[in-house]
Amino acid sequence: DGTCIRDYIHVLDLADAHVKALNRLLEGDPGSAFNVGTGVGTTVREVLASIGRCLGTPVPHAVTGRREGDPPALFARADKICAELKWEPQWTGIDDIVSTAVRWATSPQF
């Protein structure tokens, strides 16, 4: 659709990856670097549509040109963390990711 493609990850999946990495360090591993993500690209327009579906109303937005230097697509290859730490994302659909964020942001405690 012409908008940037990014790899959106649920905060609980990101937290789980950090816990697995920290546990490995606590076991004496010297550490490593990992890409963490779903490996699935989602456009900005798809995210806006998902938010609109979750809220039940379209999200006001303005379409502008791409920012200079902004890569058209970025998403993770998480093969290493999946293999070494047995981690994998549990929340891979953009509607699932967005719906939990919307529920959190619209909760009375927020």
Side-chain angles (χ1 to χ4, degrees), residues 81-98:
I81 193 168
C82 292
E84 291 187 25
L85 299 185
K86 307 298 184 244
W87 175 87
E88 63 181 67
Q90 301 302 303
W91 305 75
T92 55
I94 194 63
D95 284 347
D96 293 331
I97 293 169
V98 168

Side-chain angles (χ1 to χ4, degrees), residues 21-100:
L22 286 170
N23 284 336
R24 184 170 165 175
L25 291 172
L26 291 171
E27 292 168 358
D29 189 89
S32 190
F34 299 101
N35 287 326
V36 181
T38 65
V40 176
T42 305
T43 69
V44 172
R45 195 164 292 181
E46 289 170 325
V47 172
L48 289 171
S50 179
I51 295 168
R53 285 190 298 275
C54 291
L55 291 174
T57 185
V59 176
H61 63 279
V63 177
T64 62
R66 184 166 303 191
R67 296 176 297 190
E68 185 177 333
D70 205 6
L74 290 174
F75 48 94
R77 280 198 54 184
D79 304 356
K80 182 179 174 185
I81 193 168
C82 292
E84 291 187 25
L85 299 185
K86 307 298 184 244
W87 175 87
E88 63 181 67
Q90 301 302 303
W91 305 75
T92 55
I94 194 63
D95 284 347
D96 293 331
I97 293 169
V98 168
S99 68
T100 59

